[in-house]
Amino acid sequence: MMVELGRAKRQSIRAVCESSSEVLVRGAMEGTMGHVWVPGLENASFCLIVAGDFAYLLGLPPKGAGALDLKAQIYRCSSGCCLYPQNDQWRQWLEDEFAGQLRTVVRYALRQESGGFDRELLNSYVKSIPQGMRIRRIDERLYRLALKEEWSQDLCASFEDYKHFQTHGFGYGAMKGHRLAAGCLAYGASEGMMKVQVKTRKEYRRQGLALACSAAFVLECLEKDITPNWEATNQQSAELALKLGYVHEKEYQVYQLLEIEN
């Protein structure tokens, strides 16, 4: 059976995680984010990291009983998650162990332009919102408001509660009166980096609200010398990132389980 590591006991996964540039992986390794499972407490040869809707497989793919234990753990805790194999070995392991039970999901990785972000342009996006809208930094009230509605719950999915979010993240929301219309929040954090998550309520799309919230978020990252990592789930999200000053890096595939069995 796999063992879950508490935040204070994650030194054993450093060797298999330290080469990763994924914010959620590094946050898990540092003890600030997510859940971690290993085959044993000492010298873990592989690990499963789950944070929000993302699950990462790192280290050396197991065989025999170890493979069965890991497979059972993935069934238990990764329903609906995007499964990220660290390399081609893990990709083959997933395809062999979950044959006929996986679907591929296309993702888009973006990176900052070599010249950096244009602060003047970003500020113009923050100011260019429809009349009656306000851009607000996420406080406890807005955090709880985001959790109440289905469209915005995922903005906060990887944090345990507001205190955890306040300690390790921040974000901005577009408000129409007392209603949250859009938001850009840290989905995860590690030393010097944050993973970006953006959502807009359906009836407020195509009004520049996600762009304004994202610009405000990036500006605060620049002030704090934090790298905002942008990974897009669709072309619309990728196009939004390009407007902010990101450039396309690569398109790649991850997996999702079609069916979870007990």
Side-chain angles (χ1 to χ4, degrees):
M1 180 177 288
M2 301 280 287
V3 178
E4 183 172 3
L5 294 179
R7 290 181 179 171
K9 298 182 178 181
R10 296 185 180 174
Q11 286 298 317
S12 64
I13 66 168
R14 186 166 291 273
V16 299
C17 295
E18 61 186 356
S19 64
S20 176
S21 60
E22 292 282 352
V23 173
L24 296 178
V25 170
R26 299 200 66 80
M29 178 186 72
E30 293 161 9
T32 60
M33 303 294 304
H35 299 272
V36 177
W37 287 270
V38 293
L41 293 177
E42 301 295 333
N43 301 317
S45 58
F46 68 90
C47 67
L48 168 66
I49 293 172
V50 177
D53 294 328
F54 300 88
Y56 299 88
L57 293 160
L58 303 103
L60 296 173
K63 299 177 181 179
L68 292 175
D69 286 345
L70 176 56
K71 187 174 180 180
Q73 189 62 51
I74 291 172
Y75 277 131
R76 283 193 291 269
C77 67
S78 303
S79 176
C81 287
C82 284
L83 294 163
Y84 281 67
Q86 183 183 34
N87 49 38
D88 286 340
Q89 281 183 294
W90 276 110
R91 192 174 297 277
Q92 189 62 56
W93 185 90
L94 281 170
E95 292 178 357
D96 290 344
E97 295 293 332
F98 296 95
Q101 299 179 63
L102 297 172
R103 73 181 182 99
T104 56
V105 180
V106 176
R107 310 283 294 188
Y108 306 89
L110 298 107
R111 58 178 172 79
Q112 295 180 46
E113 179 65 83
S114 57
F117 291 102
D118 184 335
R119 293 174 188 252
E120 185 176 343
L121 178 63
L122 294 175
N123 274 304
S124 73
Y125 289 148
V126 177
K127 296 173 182 176
S128 300
I129 57 173
Q131 188 174 1
M133 291 286 185
R134 295 171 296 137
I135 302 299
R136 290 270 311 278
R137 198 174 189 274
I138 299 295
D139 58 15
E140 185 170 7
R141 184 180 72 84
L142 296 187
Y143 179 89
R144 295 187 183 283
L145 186 62
L147 287 175
K148 286 182 179 179
E149 299 193 54
E150 186 176 351
W151 75 269
S152 55
Q153 287 174 351
D154 195 43
L155 287 168
C156 316
S158 61
F159 291 94
E160 294 176 358
D161 50 31
Y162 176 71
K163 184 178 180 180
H164 189 213
F165 172 77
Q166 186 182 40
T167 301
H168 299 290
F170 58 83
Y172 287 84
M175 302 297 297
K176 176 70 171 179
H178 297 294
R179 170 176 281 189
L180 183 65
C184 177
L185 281 70
Y187 193 80
S190 62
E191 187 175 352
M193 296 190 294
M194 285 190 179
K195 185 178 181 69
V196 184
Q197 179 79 318
V198 185
K199 295 277 187 177
T200 304
R201 191 184 180 101
K202 187 175 181 179
E203 59 265 40
Y204 293 106
R205 292 174 184 169
R206 301 188 182 279
Q207 297 182 33
L209 301 180
L211 183 62
C213 292
S214 300
F217 182 91
V218 172
L219 283 166
E220 182 163 344
C221 284
L222 296 178
E223 290 175 9
K224 295 181 174 179
D225 198 25
I226 293 170
T227 300
N229 284 16
W230 196 292
E231 180 192 350
T233 59
N234 52 51
Q235 286 286 358
Q236 290 82 3
S237 178
E239 289 169 6
L240 174 60
L242 295 177
K243 289 181 181 178
L244 292 165
Y246 289 87
V247 294
H248 180 80
E249 183 174 12
K250 63 180 179 179
E251 178 180 319
Y252 63 100
Q253 292 183 336
V254 295
Y255 299 97
Q256 279 184 323
L257 288 174
L258 290 174
E259 183 179 354
I260 299 294
E261 298 176 357
N262 294 319

